[in-house]
Structures are given as structure tokens and as C-alpha cells.
Amino acid sequence: MKYCPKNPVSGHLNLSVKIVRIQIVSSEQNHPMLTLDQLISEATALPDTAKAILLDKILESMTEQIDRDVLNEGVQKAQYRIAEIDSGTVQSIPGDVGLAQVRQLLGK
């Protein structure tokens, strides 16, 4: 998170976190629910700070299902891979091309 100086009047930290609300309602209320693809699209469009908050909340909700250390390791690996792509160290390929290559290697 960026350095946030204290407000000289109130003494509180000046946090510049944009609050983003994604409304998901159930079909029982006759409102459309976001599809998983729509939710992913909305989440990936968030600023990094909001993504970190969302990720933390999702991880908290999964602590009973997945070993947190293993999950954190996976998150760190994903962050490393994203940094490689962003820096140009590696080049990404479309998912369908990658799957075709894996299938060819496995002889399927």
C-alpha cells in the first residue's frame, strides 16, 4: 500500500482506497445474478488495492476448505508469473493454444 501521511487536523491516516461495490443478488429476488465470467471481469478491472482486499476476503472464506499455507504459496506463484508477463520476461499464449500443446504432449 502507498505511504499515506496523517491528516494534520484529525491525526488520522489519509487512506486513498476506492470502495467498489459489486452487487450480487439471488434469482429468488427476481434480479439477475452475475455469472462467474462477469464477476471475474468486474474483479480484474478493480484497482490493485481493491483486488488485494477482495482476495483477502476470499481467502478468509476458504480457510476451512484449503490449507492457507498452500493457498498463499499458490498466490505468490501467480503474482510471480504475472510479474514475469508484465516485465516481458515471458510471453503469454491464449489458453486454447496452451491446452492444445499440453494435449499434444500427452498424446491426447
Side-chain angles (χ1 to χ4, degrees):
M1 185 178 281
K2 293 188 238 179
Y3 170 72
C4 297
K6 287 188 178 183
N7 182 313
V9 176
S10 70
H12 294 106
L13 291 178
N14 292 326
L15 297 177
S16 59
V17 176
K18 183 178 180 181
I19 303 298
V20 180
R21 288 194 316 183
I22 299 175
Q23 185 176 3
I24 302 177
V25 293
S26 73
S27 57
E28 294 172 7
Q29 297 173 355
N30 295 322
H31 296 286
M33 186 177 226
L34 290 178
T35 66
L36 182 57
D37 288 338
Q38 290 169 325
L39 182 58
I40 290 169
S41 177
E42 293 287 330
T44 56
L46 294 171
D48 288 344
T49 304
K51 286 179 191 173
I53 294 168
L54 178 60
L55 179 60
D56 187 54
K57 295 298 180 186
I58 292 171
L59 290 175
E60 283 178 17
S61 73
M62 298 172 66
T63 56
E64 294 180 11
Q65 299 172 17
I66 298 175
D67 179 28
R68 193 164 180 91
D69 292 336
V70 172
L71 189 56
N72 285 335
E73 185 179 319
V75 168
Q76 289 174 352
K77 184 69 168 181
Q79 290 171 334
Y80 175 78
R81 294 291 189 192
I82 290 169
E84 284 184 316
I85 292 168
D86 289 346
S87 70
T89 305
V90 297
Q91 186 177 8
S92 63
I93 60 173
D96 58 336
V97 173
L99 287 174
Q101 290 175 357
V102 169
R103 286 184 184 112
Q104 185 178 12
L105 288 172
L106 295 175
K108 294 184 177 185

